[in-house]
Every structure is written in structure tokens, then in C-alpha cells.
Amino acid sequence: MAIPESFERDRAELAEGIRQLRAVSGMSGVSVARRLGWSQAKVSKVETGKVVASSEDVRALLDLYQPPIEVRERLEERAEALNDRYATLRMLRKRGLHRVQEDIGRNARSTSVIRSFQPSLVPGLLQTPEYARAVFGQPLTMEATDVARAVRARLDRQTLLFDPEREFHFVVTEAALRWRMGDAATMRAQLDRLANLSTLENVRLGVLPWSVFVPQVPKNGFTVLDEREVSVESFTTHRSISEPRDIRFHLEIFQLFADAAIYGDEARAFLAELTREHA
């Protein structure tokens, strides 16, 4: 999935605003770097938008350039919004992935309808403790994670599933169900949990078999919270998308996958067959 157009636009506008302030100040990039204790390459990357400047870095630049208050407020707000929407894995690890899970839980608690599509992994709200431990224990993407705390935070938000005032619609691919996370016992328990949760009145679980033709390649997983936000994760980043056009696009994609999926007894029979394969 490409980076949303609105994100690229805001990043470019922030970078150009910072570049223009330096030009007005008469300082060179080398001079700015020396005054802030940065490398000249960092100044260049910020001004060209190759990196998203942190809120702290933007404030340091604004302190140096001393722009009018309305310009300062506009650039500070843009930097904060961009950093809220684009979090690198390094940033998430530094903060603690258990805290990230707690934030996700708080966001979910303010949501009435959650739609989640996952092509390679069981959705977090549906994971067993053993499966979640396998996810958070991955050596490359989850290195230095406090696994126990991350798992506990993820499981804590699963109580939302039993709130009849909320609606959940999950679509998972056959690939997500076959991908081994843990041993055979872990996979059997996970598949059994999916079958059980699919019987809840407020939970719809769709399974997308390999045998079904879908006219769209499932490039990544995503979760739509009501119709206000889309959460997208990659190996190294987490993005929150709030652009209405991008949200509508994800809702259309979700519905396309949902229409091709199987549900109810048919889905549970499919899960039972997969469970037998792990005997």
C-alpha cells in the first residue's frame, strides 16, 4: 500500500516551510547544522522531506529562525499531526510496545464498529495468549520487546468483543490461518478460538479461501475504526490515516474482500478442516 497522498502532501509542505524559513534567515544549511549540533545531511533531509522531522526538531528550528507566531503555530501543528500518523518501529520500541497496545485499546474503546482485514496474521483482537506470544517474540521485527507486557495489553482489549454495543467484522485469508505462529498445539487452539468467537452475535468472521477469485491483490492488512480512521502496519512503520478519501478507499477494499469471504457454518467447517491438519 502506498503512503497516503495527504501524508505526502503534508510532509512536503512542512519541509518546504522549514526550507523557506532558513532562506529568509540567510543562514546556510551548514551554519544551521553547526548551531543545532546536527549533521548537514540531517538538515538537508528535513528540508527535502526525505525524513519526517520530529516535533522536537521542528521546535529547535523554529527557535532558531524566530518566524511570526502564526507561522510557528502552523508548522508545529503540522509536525505533531505527521508524527501522530507516522510512527517507526524504532520509535514504537523505544516507547514500549505494551504502551502501543494500550493506546490501540483506548482507541478501540471509543469505536462502535471495527472492520479488520488481515492477509497474513490472525487479528490481534482474536489471538490466543500463545499465538500472541509467538507474534511478539519474532526475532527481527519485535527485538527487545517486553513480550509478557505486550501480550497482557493485547489480551486486555479483547474484552471489547463481549460488549454487545460494539460490532466487529473480520476478514482473514487462508494464508493467515495457515502461517505457522508457534507449534501445532498453538495453531489448533487459535483456530478453535476463531470458530468459537465467530458464534458471537456482534462478531462477523469471514474467511477468504485461496480458491476464491478476488480482483484485488491483498497487499497489506488494515483496520478501519468506524469511518474516522484507518490503521495500517508494515514491517517498520505504523500509520493512522484520517483523510476521508483514503478511508472510503479502504472501506471499498474491505467490502470487496468481505463479499468474497465465507461465513458462519461454512467458515467454521473450513476452520475445522485446517485444525485437523495440525493434529
Side-chain angles (χ1 to χ4, degrees):
M1 177 65 64
I3 296 174
E5 181 181 325
S6 62
F7 181 90
E8 292 281 27
R9 183 183 63 244
D10 290 349
R11 178 167 62 179
E13 289 179 0
L14 174 64
E16 178 60 17
I18 291 172
R19 189 197 66 76
Q20 289 180 1
L21 288 179
R22 181 181 61 76
V24 170
S25 75
M27 286 184 273
S28 68
V30 172
S31 175
V32 171
R34 184 168 56 249
R35 293 193 183 200
L36 296 180
W38 296 357
S39 67
Q40 195 278 328
K42 177 176 179 178
V43 175
S44 176
K45 288 178 180 178
V46 167
E47 290 187 354
T48 58
K50 289 184 178 179
V51 299
V52 178
S54 70
S55 297
E56 293 77 11
D57 286 348
V58 170
R59 281 194 288 272
L61 288 164
L62 295 175
D63 288 343
L64 181 62
Y65 299 144
Q66 292 294 303
I69 185 64
E70 63 272 14
V71 175
R72 181 183 187 109
E73 289 177 350
R74 174 171 56 82
L75 293 178
E76 283 185 337
E77 289 175 0
R78 180 148 295 166
E80 289 176 2
L82 283 167
N83 279 278
D84 282 346
R85 293 165 59 191
Y86 183 91
T88 67
L89 182 59
R90 178 184 58 79
M91 294 163 58
L92 296 178
R93 283 181 185 155
K94 183 176 180 180
R95 186 167 175 237
L97 288 181
H98 64 283
R99 292 194 176 91
V100 175
Q101 291 298 309
E102 290 166 356
D103 287 347
I104 293 173
R106 281 190 288 272
N107 204 7
R109 289 183 183 91
S110 65
T111 303
S112 298
V113 181
I114 293 178
R115 303 172 180 89
S116 181
F117 169 72
Q118 293 298 333
S120 57
L121 202 67
V122 171
L125 279 169
L126 305 179
Q127 292 175 7
T128 66
E130 294 78 12
Y131 189 100
R133 272 192 287 273
V135 171
F136 287 118
Q138 295 175 88
L140 292 179
T141 54
M142 300 299 179
E143 182 181 5
T145 300
D146 187 333
V147 174
R149 295 182 73 180
V151 170
R152 185 161 57 249
R154 172 162 287 182
L155 297 181
D156 284 347
R157 63 187 171 95
Q158 292 183 357
T159 58
L160 294 172
L161 293 169
F162 303 97
D163 180 352
E165 299 301 314
R166 303 181 195 279
E167 296 179 20
F168 301 88
H169 190 172
F170 302 96
V171 177
V172 296
T173 67
E174 181 175 346
L177 301 176
R178 287 185 177 277
W179 195 269
R180 286 287 293 269
M181 296 298 299
D183 58 18
T186 296
M187 293 303 298
R188 287 197 303 271
Q190 180 61 74
L191 293 167
D192 185 60
R193 176 169 172 76
L194 291 175
N196 288 332
L197 290 175
S198 72
T199 64
L200 295 175
E201 290 188 3
N202 63 328
V203 174
R204 291 194 71 204
L205 174 63
V207 175
L208 199 57
W210 285 338
S211 59
V212 174
F213 171 75
V214 182
Q216 178 69 39
V217 176
K219 294 182 178 179
N220 58 264
F222 59 89
T223 299
V224 184
L225 305 175
D226 288 328
E227 296 185 6
R228 74 174 190 277
E229 180 181 329
V230 178
S231 176
V232 181
E233 292 186 29
S234 70
F235 276 116
T236 60
T237 61
H238 178 276
R239 296 188 181 96
S240 294
I241 302 170
S242 56
E243 176 70 30
R245 181 171 51 184
D246 292 330
I247 293 173
R248 287 194 298 272
F249 174 81
H250 281 83
L251 285 170
E252 290 175 5
I253 289 290
F254 181 86
Q255 193 59 51
L256 185 151
F257 292 141
D259 289 344
I262 58 176
Y263 293 85
D265 290 340
E266 187 178 4
R268 284 186 284 274
F270 189 91
L271 291 169
E273 181 61 32
L274 291 181
T275 301
R276 285 191 286 271
E277 294 182 11
H278 291 288

